[in-house]
PDB file of all heavy atoms in Angstrom:
ATOM      1  N   HIS C 131     129.310  91.482  95.468  1.00 98.00           N
ATOM      2  CA  HIS C 131     128.618  92.339  96.516  1.00 98.00           C
ATOM      3  C   HIS C 131     127.497  91.583  97.213  1.00 98.00           C
ATOM      4  O   HIS C 131     126.791  90.854  96.514  1.00 98.00           O
ATOM      5  CB  HIS C 131     128.024  93.583  96.012  1.00 98.00           C
ATOM      6  CG  HIS C 131     128.935  94.321  94.891  1.00 98.00           C
ATOM      7  ND1 HIS C 131     129.944  95.102  95.199  1.00 98.00           N
ATOM      8  CD2 HIS C 131     128.807  94.285  93.526  1.00 98.00           C
ATOM      9  CE1 HIS C 131     130.438  95.596  94.117  1.00 98.00           C
ATOM     10  NE2 HIS C 131     129.748  95.158  93.072  1.00 98.00           N
ATOM     11  N   PRO C 132     127.372  91.780  98.577  1.00 98.00           N
ATOM     12  CA  PRO C 132     126.213  91.288  99.184  1.00 98.00           C
ATOM     13  C   PRO C 132     124.907  92.132  98.835  1.00 98.00           C
ATOM     14  O   PRO C 132     123.787  91.623  98.747  1.00 98.00           O
ATOM     15  CB  PRO C 132     126.538  91.409 100.643  1.00 98.00           C
ATOM     16  CG  PRO C 132     127.652  92.366 100.727  1.00 98.00           C
ATOM     17  CD  PRO C 132     128.438  92.320  99.425  1.00 98.00           C
ATOM     18  N   TYR C 133     125.149  93.390  98.608  1.00 98.00           N
ATOM     19  CA  TYR C 133     124.109  94.353  97.990  1.00 98.00           C
ATOM     20  C   TYR C 133     124.958  95.500  97.553  1.00 98.00           C
ATOM     21  O   TYR C 133     126.201  95.537  97.704  1.00 98.00           O
ATOM     22  CB  TYR C 133     123.156  94.787  99.040  1.00 98.00           C
ATOM     23  CG  TYR C 133     123.796  95.388 100.346  1.00 98.00           C
ATOM     24  CD1 TYR C 133     123.889  96.801 100.407  1.00 98.00           C
ATOM     25  CD2 TYR C 133     124.298  94.621 101.438  1.00 98.00           C
ATOM     26  CE1 TYR C 133     124.569  97.419 101.455  1.00 98.00           C
ATOM     27  CE2 TYR C 133     124.978  95.295 102.494  1.00 98.00           C
ATOM     28  CZ  TYR C 133     125.052  96.688 102.503  1.00 98.00           C
ATOM     29  OH  TYR C 133     125.715  97.224 103.585  1.00 98.00           O
ATOM     30  N   TYR C 134     124.380  96.456  96.813  1.00 98.00           N
ATOM     31  CA  TYR C 134     125.117  97.409  96.247  1.00 98.00           C
ATOM     32  C   TYR C 134     124.331  98.746  96.073  1.00 98.00           C
ATOM     33  O   TYR C 134     123.077  98.797  95.788  1.00 98.00           O
ATOM     34  CB  TYR C 134     125.482  96.948  94.835  1.00 98.00           C
ATOM     35  CG  TYR C 134     126.486  97.892  94.091  1.00 98.00           C
ATOM     36  CD1 TYR C 134     127.848  97.968  94.436  1.00 98.00           C
ATOM     37  CD2 TYR C 134     126.030  98.635  93.102  1.00 98.00           C
ATOM     38  CE1 TYR C 134     128.766  98.829  93.667  1.00 98.00           C
ATOM     39  CE2 TYR C 134     126.896  99.649  92.408  1.00 98.00           C
ATOM     40  CZ  TYR C 134     128.253  99.736  92.697  1.00 98.00           C
ATOM     41  OH  TYR C 134     129.153 100.526  92.125  1.00 98.00           O
ATOM     42  N   TYR C 135     125.016  99.880  96.353  1.00 97.00           N
ATOM     43  CA  TYR C 135     124.419 101.188  96.139  1.00 97.00           C
ATOM     44  C   TYR C 135     125.137 101.958  95.071  1.00 97.00           C
ATOM     45  O   TYR C 135     126.394 102.154  95.233  1.00 97.00           O
ATOM     46  CB  TYR C 135     124.312 101.993  97.458  1.00 97.00           C
ATOM     47  CG  TYR C 135     123.863 103.390  97.274  1.00 97.00           C
ATOM     48  CD1 TYR C 135     122.523 103.668  96.663  1.00 97.00           C
ATOM     49  CD2 TYR C 135     124.604 104.507  97.443  1.00 97.00           C
ATOM     50  CE1 TYR C 135     122.027 104.897  96.486  1.00 97.00           C
ATOM     51  CE2 TYR C 135     124.197 105.870  97.313  1.00 97.00           C
ATOM     52  CZ  TYR C 135     122.898 105.885  96.784  1.00 97.00           C
ATOM     53  OH  TYR C 135     122.432 107.252  96.650  1.00 97.00           O
ATOM     54  N   ASP C 136     124.660 102.296  93.914  1.00 96.00           N
ATOM     55  CA  ASP C 136     125.179 103.041  92.960  1.00 96.00           C
ATOM     56  C   ASP C 136     125.160 104.551  93.319  1.00 96.00           C
ATOM     57  O   ASP C 136     124.231 105.208  93.076  1.00 96.00           O
ATOM     58  CB  ASP C 136     124.539 102.685  91.609  1.00 96.00           C
ATOM     59  CG  ASP C 136     125.197 103.439  90.362  1.00 96.00           C
ATOM     60  OD1 ASP C 136     125.910 104.445  90.565  1.00 96.00           O
ATOM     61  OD2 ASP C 136     125.037 102.849  89.237  1.00 96.00           O
ATOM     62  N   GLU C 137     126.203 105.120  93.846  1.00 94.00           N
ATOM     63  CA  GLU C 137     126.159 106.500  94.335  1.00 94.00           C
ATOM     64  C   GLU C 137     125.899 107.471  93.208  1.00 94.00           C
ATOM     65  O   GLU C 137     125.146 108.388  93.319  1.00 94.00           O
ATOM     66  CB  GLU C 137     127.589 106.804  95.004  1.00 94.00           C
ATOM     67  CG  GLU C 137     127.765 106.039  96.303  1.00 94.00           C
ATOM     68  CD  GLU C 137     128.915 106.581  96.987  1.00 94.00           C
ATOM     69  OE1 GLU C 137     129.519 107.470  96.520  1.00 94.00           O
ATOM     70  OE2 GLU C 137     129.299 106.010  97.992  1.00 94.00           O
ATOM     71  N   LYS C 138     126.491 107.226  91.939  1.00 92.00           N
ATOM     72  CA  LYS C 138     126.380 108.197  90.959  1.00 92.00           C
ATOM     73  C   LYS C 138     124.868 108.215  90.342  1.00 92.00           C
ATOM     74  O   LYS C 138     124.273 109.320  90.187  1.00 92.00           O
ATOM     75  CB  LYS C 138     127.282 107.845  89.838  1.00 92.00           C
ATOM     76  CG  LYS C 138     127.263 108.776  88.572  1.00 92.00           C
ATOM     77  CD  LYS C 138     128.139 108.426  87.430  1.00 92.00           C
ATOM     78  CE  LYS C 138     128.044 109.415  86.271  1.00 92.00           C
ATOM     79  NZ  LYS C 138     128.803 109.057  85.096  1.00 92.00           N
ATOM     80  N   TRP C 139     124.243 107.079  90.202  1.00 94.00           N
ATOM     81  CA  TRP C 139     122.928 107.003  89.614  1.00 94.00           C
ATOM     82  C   TRP C 139     121.894 106.759  90.708  1.00 94.00           C
ATOM     83  O   TRP C 139     120.678 106.641  90.452  1.00 94.00           O
ATOM     84  CB  TRP C 139     122.809 105.924  88.605  1.00 94.00           C
ATOM     85  CG  TRP C 139     123.607 106.252  87.335  1.00 94.00           C
ATOM     86  CD1 TRP C 139     124.512 107.358  87.145  1.00 94.00           C
ATOM     87  CD2 TRP C 139     123.484 105.668  86.060  1.00 94.00           C
ATOM     88  NE1 TRP C 139     125.023 107.449  85.875  1.00 94.00           N
ATOM     89  CE2 TRP C 139     124.412 106.268  85.120  1.00 94.00           C
ATOM     90  CE3 TRP C 139     122.810 104.609  85.591  1.00 94.00           C
ATOM     91  CZ2 TRP C 139     124.636 105.951  83.813  1.00 94.00           C
ATOM     92  CZ3 TRP C 139     122.923 104.272  84.215  1.00 94.00           C
ATOM     93  CH2 TRP C 139     123.813 105.003  83.336  1.00 94.00           C
ATOM     94  N   GLU C 140     122.359 106.730  92.060  1.00 94.00           N
ATOM     95  CA  GLU C 140     121.394 106.696  93.142  1.00 94.00           C
ATOM     96  C   GLU C 140     120.447 105.530  92.937  1.00 94.00           C
ATOM     97  O   GLU C 140     119.266 105.631  93.150  1.00 94.00           O
ATOM     98  CB  GLU C 140     120.711 107.966  93.366  1.00 94.00           C
ATOM     99  CG  GLU C 140     121.613 109.100  93.597  1.00 94.00           C
ATOM    100  CD  GLU C 140     120.972 110.500  93.664  1.00 94.00           C
ATOM    101  OE1 GLU C 140     119.804 110.475  93.333  1.00 94.00           O
ATOM    102  OE2 GLU C 140     121.677 111.453  93.964  1.00 94.00           O
ATOM    103  N   ILE C 141     120.939 104.282  92.743  1.00 96.00           N
ATOM    104  CA  ILE C 141     120.119 103.123  92.626  1.00 96.00           C
ATOM    105  C   ILE C 141     120.554 102.078  93.715  1.00 96.00           C
ATOM    106  O   ILE C 141     121.820 101.814  93.853  1.00 96.00           O
ATOM    107  CB  ILE C 141     120.239 102.398  91.299  1.00 96.00           C
ATOM    108  CG1 ILE C 141     119.744 103.450  90.222  1.00 96.00           C
ATOM    109  CG2 ILE C 141     119.489 101.168  91.239  1.00 96.00           C
ATOM    110  CD1 ILE C 141     119.935 102.889  88.745  1.00 96.00           C
ATOM    111  N   PHE C 142     119.674 101.578  94.448  1.00 97.00           N
ATOM    112  CA  PHE C 142     120.080 100.583  95.455  1.00 97.00           C
ATOM    113  C   PHE C 142     119.606  99.039  94.991  1.00 97.00           C
ATOM    114  O   PHE C 142     118.498  99.056  94.404  1.00 97.00           O
ATOM    115  CB  PHE C 142     119.214 100.783  96.845  1.00 97.00           C
ATOM    116  CG  PHE C 142     119.576  99.799  97.852  1.00 97.00           C
ATOM    117  CD1 PHE C 142     120.792  99.970  98.615  1.00 97.00           C
ATOM    118  CD2 PHE C 142     118.800  98.776  98.166  1.00 97.00           C
ATOM    119  CE1 PHE C 142     121.095  99.005  99.703  1.00 97.00           C
ATOM    120  CE2 PHE C 142     119.039  97.763  99.118  1.00 97.00           C
ATOM    121  CZ  PHE C 142     120.177  97.881  99.877  1.00 97.00           C
TER     122      PHE C 142
END
Side-chain angles (χ1 to χ4, degrees):
H131 317 277
Y133 58 93
Y134 186 76
Y135 175 60
D136 184 335
E137 292 186 6
K138 181 180 179 183
W139 289 13
E140 299 174 353
I141 298 175
F142 182 80

